[in-house]
Amino acid sequence: HSLSTRDSFCLISLLICNTLRSFSFLSVTHTRNMPPTLNNDMASSIASSSPQPSTSKPHLDVHYTAPGFCPPHPDTVDQLCEDRSNLIFCHGVVIVKISPEVAVKFGPHINIIEAKNMIYITQNTGVPVPKVFAYYTYGPIDRDPDDFGGLYDTYIFMSYVAGETLYEAWNSLSVSTKSHILRQLASCVQEIRDVEPAGYIGSIDRGPVTDCCLATSIDKGIALGISDHYTRTNHLFQGPFDSEQEFNTAIINNYLNNAPKRHIKSFLSGMLPVSHRILFAHGDLRPQNIIVKDGKVAAIIDWERSGWYPEYWEYAKALLVWHWQSDWTDYLVQILQPYDAEYFMHSFLMEKLLI
């Protein structure tokens, strides 16, 4: 049978992933009972691990497991990926449904900060997000980090949320339903902004800024001898920053590195304010990251760029990533506090810094 373009892309992505992955796994032992959502064939015992004598062999580093949950081994996840009906998403990262209630998001571009953010938001707000059951890293994997984004894969096991993205549903929704959904989002955004300030600009647990505005190549991280999990993706992150002034300086320096012939530093320094409140932001609020069902918001997903940022951040990022593609922005500007001057300056900077 002929395959669709999407199916072909998925199969190629998974074949590459499986081919490059070494099958020399670290043995691990059960420490928790499996939940009813996973059967014995699906799960491998990975809750604890012994030190490896050789760093050249891939091993599992389990960062978190919820009580009663035992996540399956990467080998088992690969087997589930072979059934295309389990695939939810496979562009750059892979999201696969491993049971009626559980999905896993994995790949070299996934960072454990995303899982930490979801747990934090669940604990501190009523915003609907997928429940995190476990997350771990696996590697090093024998492959070219420049081609595949790193030598480590991160796996985040979370609750499967039924529905469709707001992007898929938008054009079929009535004006009243769109307005209802946006009112829900307005409440969610306000709850996020009301989270207790952390006293710095960056991600959870005094982590770095994960937005691409400050991303640099992994080669610089290797040269500096940086080897923690923040460099196990295709980017090395900067921060955290104790002040907006420090944050602005880092953005300007990164801009100048990408546009070395532009003599614009003094202008940019004068145009970037330093008096904003520092609030928590999702950082990537677009229709593709909102799951809806029955005319209601079922979940907000993709929290990898979230953290504490200047108060204009949510507004500037939400408009920047959407590029005015539909009337979504007509509704969006009604629920977000406007920061138009900051948006235009950020848009100017991101001409050189965007992905």
Side-chain angles (χ1 to χ4, degrees), residues 15-147:
L15 285 172
I16 291 174
C17 180
N18 291 339
T19 300
L20 292 174
R21 179 172 288 140
S22 167
F23 291 99
S24 210
F25 295 117
L26 177 69
S27 61
V28 291
T29 57
H30 275 293
T31 60
R32 291 188 173 98
N33 294 327
M34 292 182 352
T37 57
L38 298 175
N39 58 46
N40 290 330
D41 293 330
M42 292 170 57
S44 297
S45 41
I46 63 167
S48 63
S49 58
S50 303
Q52 275 291 336
S54 173
T55 57
S56 62
K57 293 182 179 181
H59 62 278
L60 293 170
D61 186 4
V62 182
H63 298 274
Y64 169 82
T65 55
F69 185 86
C70 184
H73 193 276
D75 197 14
T76 303
V77 174
D78 285 345
Q79 294 173 9
L80 291 167
C81 287
E82 294 175 2
D83 183 350
R84 296 199 310 276
S85 66
N86 293 325
L87 292 173
I88 300 172
F89 188 84
C90 60
H91 298 278
V93 302
V94 178
I95 305 176
V96 60
K97 190 176 180 181
I98 65 173
S99 82
E101 295 85 12
V102 181
V104 57
K105 179 178 183 179
F106 69 95
H109 300 282
I110 307 302
N111 197 296
I112 64 173
I113 290 176
E114 179 176 3
K116 288 184 175 183
N117 282 332
M118 287 193 288
I119 293 173
Y120 181 81
I121 290 298
T122 297
Q123 292 174 342
N124 291 277
T125 74
V127 175
V129 300
K131 178 181 179 180
V132 175
F133 295 122
Y135 56 91
Y136 61 66
T137 51
Y138 173 72
I141 300 170
D142 185 15
R143 64 187 178 197
D144 188 339
D146 292 331
D147 290 338

Side-chain angles (χ1 to χ4, degrees), residues 273-288:
V274 295
S275 57
H276 293 105
R277 294 175 298 162
I278 307 304
L279 305 176
F280 200 88
H282 178 274
D284 195 13
L285 197 63
R286 65 175 91 189
Q288 292 93 329

Side-chain angles (χ1 to χ4, degrees), residues 270-305:
M271 291 298 292
L272 290 174
V274 295
S275 57
H276 293 105
R277 294 175 298 162
I278 307 304
L279 305 176
F280 200 88
H282 178 274
D284 195 13
L285 197 63
R286 65 175 91 189
Q288 292 93 329
N289 292 338
I290 301 163
I291 305 297
V292 295
K293 185 179 181 183
D294 300 329
K296 299 178 182 179
V297 176
I300 299 176
I301 61 174
D302 284 3
W303 292 82
E304 64 268 23
R305 295 183 181 179

Side-chain angles (χ1 to χ4, degrees), residues 140-325:
I141 300 170
D142 185 15
R143 64 187 178 197
D144 188 339
D146 292 331
D147 290 338
F148 296 92
L151 300 178
Y152 290 80
D153 284 343
T154 297
Y155 291 69
I156 302 176
F157 298 86
M158 64 187 83
S159 58
Y160 170 73
V161 180
E164 59 183 336
T165 67
L166 187 56
Y167 177 78
E168 296 168 323
W170 186 257
N171 289 333
S172 65
L173 299 177
S174 66
V175 171
S176 61
T177 301
K178 289 179 180 179
S179 298
H180 177 67
I181 288 173
L182 266 294
R183 285 194 295 271
Q184 287 184 280
L185 287 175
S187 176
C188 292
V189 170
Q190 189 59 54
E191 279 198 73
I192 293 169
R193 290 167 70 85
D194 288 342
V195 166
E196 184 177 353
Y200 63 88
I201 295 175
S203 55
I204 194 167
D205 296 335
R206 283 200 66 85
V209 169
T210 55
D211 187 86
C212 56
C213 69
L214 291 183
T216 57
S217 70
I218 193 172
D219 294 335
K220 295 182 181 179
I222 294 173
L224 292 170
I226 299 173
S227 59
D228 65 16
H229 63 263
Y230 294 126
T231 64
R232 293 177 182 177
T233 67
N234 63 324
H235 293 121
L236 169 67
F237 299 118
Q238 301 181 50
F241 301 94
D242 291 325
S243 70
E244 189 173 9
Q245 179 67 64
E246 292 180 9
F247 179 56
N248 290 347
T249 299
I251 293 177
I252 292 171
N253 289 338
N254 211 33
Y255 178 90
L256 294 175
N257 289 336
N258 285 273
K261 294 183 179 181
R262 294 191 178 184
H263 301 280
I264 197 173
K265 183 174 183 179
S266 297
F267 168 78
L268 294 177
S269 298
M271 291 298 292
L272 290 174
V274 295
S275 57
H276 293 105
R277 294 175 298 162
I278 307 304
L279 305 176
F280 200 88
H282 178 274
D284 195 13
L285 197 63
R286 65 175 91 189
Q288 292 93 329
N289 292 338
I290 301 163
I291 305 297
V292 295
K293 185 179 181 183
D294 300 329
K296 299 178 182 179
V297 176
I300 299 176
I301 61 174
D302 284 3
W303 292 82
E304 64 268 23
R305 295 183 181 179
S306 306
W308 285 269
Y309 291 94
E311 60 187 282
Y312 68 84
W313 202 253
E314 199 79 270
Y315 182 82
K317 284 298 178 181
L319 295 185
L320 182 69
V321 299
W322 188 237
H323 300 297
W324 316 98
Q325 299 174 55

